[in-house]
Amino acid sequence: MHPTKRAVLVLEDGTIYQGRSFGYEGSVSGEVVFNTAMTGYPESLTDPSYEGQILVTTFPQLGNYGVPPADGDTFLKHYYEGSRIHCRAIIAQDYAFHHSHWLAERSLASWLKEEKIPGLYDIDTRALTKHLRQHGSMLGKIIVEGCQDVDFYDPNAENLIAKTSCKDVMVFDSLEKAPVALADSKPCDDGKKTVVLVDCGIKHNIIRCLLRRNVRVVRVPWNYDFNTIAYDGLFISNGPGNPDFAGATVENIRKAMETGKPMRYLHGQPTPCKSCGSQDVQAQIRT
């Protein structure tokens, strides 16, 4: 038996789920959502789309294959989707205290404790997921035994796009080379196409996939006017939070639409739609 503290998940509608803590021992709040993936918790935890959210995994066990290495100082982490854990906490039905995988560098619990992210297990995640499916994603908070209570936190009231986006324009020429600042980059004279990637909370794998297709990627912040850059294609990334905060992105996309250049978008399609004057309505269930 592993000594663990009791903890509870309290939903904003008053529903309470009893469990135990296996991560950082601290109380936290956020929007409670669920994920149906059977594997890939390192990728999910580091996905910027989960910024401000408490992630519930429907697959019954978590932690059985540990955590892969973080690739040292490499900018694009091979096994992660971001440079840090973005979700506020993670919840599973069962936690494997003994992991086994040839690539594992440490346990999931030790990683969560290092980044101060609570983890809960011994919770009926099937019942919790059905509750969220019936009533929609809702705010919640985790209170760990011996820790202070916290107020509910609504991540959709904050500009999470700005929080997770990059701060500077960076140019990626290949997976083998580190990115450089736009001012330090050399003109592209090898025939490569240039894709401007608007970072609204980008997954690292999107950059990796683009680079494998032999294109030059210019990654720009969410509010950067990319129309000042010469490019062949435009890619608007996915990301977290309320797209109503992406006013600057919408305005820049509106100007780009007039050029007729190829455009690809992932941010739930709201930013291009808003550029055309449409309004968006948030789905009841978020995963």
Side-chain angles (χ1 to χ4, degrees), residues 220-273:
V220 303
W222 69 283
N223 57 351
Y224 183 85
D225 187 0
F226 50 82
N227 294 288
T228 60
I229 302 174
Y231 65 90
D232 301 291
L234 177 63
F235 193 111
I236 299 102
S237 83
N238 56 338
N242 187 345
D244 286 342
F245 285 107
T249 310
V250 169
E251 192 57 39
N252 291 328
I253 293 173
R254 183 176 290 120
K255 289 189 289 184
M257 284 180 169
E258 299 175 358
T259 67
K261 293 181 179 179
M263 182 184 301
R264 177 72 171 92
Y265 43 87
L266 283 180
H267 200 268
Q269 302 185 10
T271 45
C273 291

Side-chain angles (χ1 to χ4, degrees), residues 28-91:
V28 71
S29 59
E31 182 183 28
V32 185
V33 300
F34 62 87
N35 182 308
T36 59
M38 296 178 66
T39 60
Y41 53 82
E43 292 88 345
S44 295
L45 283 166
T46 55
D47 184 346
S49 296
Y50 287 117
E51 181 72 34
Q53 295 179 328
I54 296 173
L55 180 61
V56 180
T57 59
T58 60
F59 189 72
Q61 192 177 60
L62 202 65
N64 56 312
Y65 58 89
V67 177
D71 296 339
D73 295 327
T74 305
F75 181 81
L76 295 176
K77 307 297 183 184
H78 189 69
Y79 305 105
Y80 300 162
E81 294 296 349
S83 58
R84 62 176 176 86
I85 295 178
H86 283 275
C87 68
R88 291 203 150 202
I90 191 165
I91 298 174

Side-chain angles (χ1 to χ4, degrees), residues 108-239:
L108 173 58
S110 63
W111 185 32
L112 294 177
K113 291 174 182 176
E114 180 182 314
E115 299 217 15
K116 297 185 177 181
I117 304 296
L120 260 67
Y121 76 102
D122 201 20
I123 278 183
D124 188 347
T125 52
R126 181 183 176 90
L128 174 56
T129 301
K130 290 177 69 176
H131 187 83
L132 295 174
R133 282 184 61 87
Q134 182 177 355
H135 301 284
S137 300
M138 60 182 69
L139 304 184
K141 56 183 176 180
I142 292 172
I143 305 171
V144 179
E145 179 183 8
C147 299
Q148 289 186 337
D149 193 0
V150 292
D151 295 329
F152 287 111
Y153 161 70
D154 183 3
N156 296 303
E158 182 182 359
N159 189 348
L160 299 182
I161 300 171
K163 188 175 181 179
T164 55
S165 177
C166 61
K167 308 305 178 187
D168 302 299
V169 180
M170 301 296 291
V171 178
F172 296 79
D173 276 312
S174 72
L175 286 167
E176 291 73 32
K177 297 179 181 179
V180 297
L182 181 62
D184 298 330
S185 64
K186 298 179 180 179
C188 191
D189 56 1
D190 53 4
K192 280 185 179 181
K193 298 292 185 180
T194 297
V195 173
V196 166
L197 175 58
V198 182
D199 184 358
C200 296
I202 186 74
K203 294 179 176 68
H204 281 188
N205 194 48
I206 292 175
I207 303 176
R208 290 193 292 265
C209 287
L210 287 171
L211 291 175
R212 290 190 187 109
R213 284 155 178 79
N214 198 35
V215 298
R216 187 185 197 220
V217 177
V218 182
R219 181 187 186 185
V220 303
W222 69 283
N223 57 351
Y224 183 85
D225 187 0
F226 50 82
N227 294 288
T228 60
I229 302 174
Y231 65 90
D232 301 291
L234 177 63
F235 193 111
I236 299 102
S237 83
N238 56 338

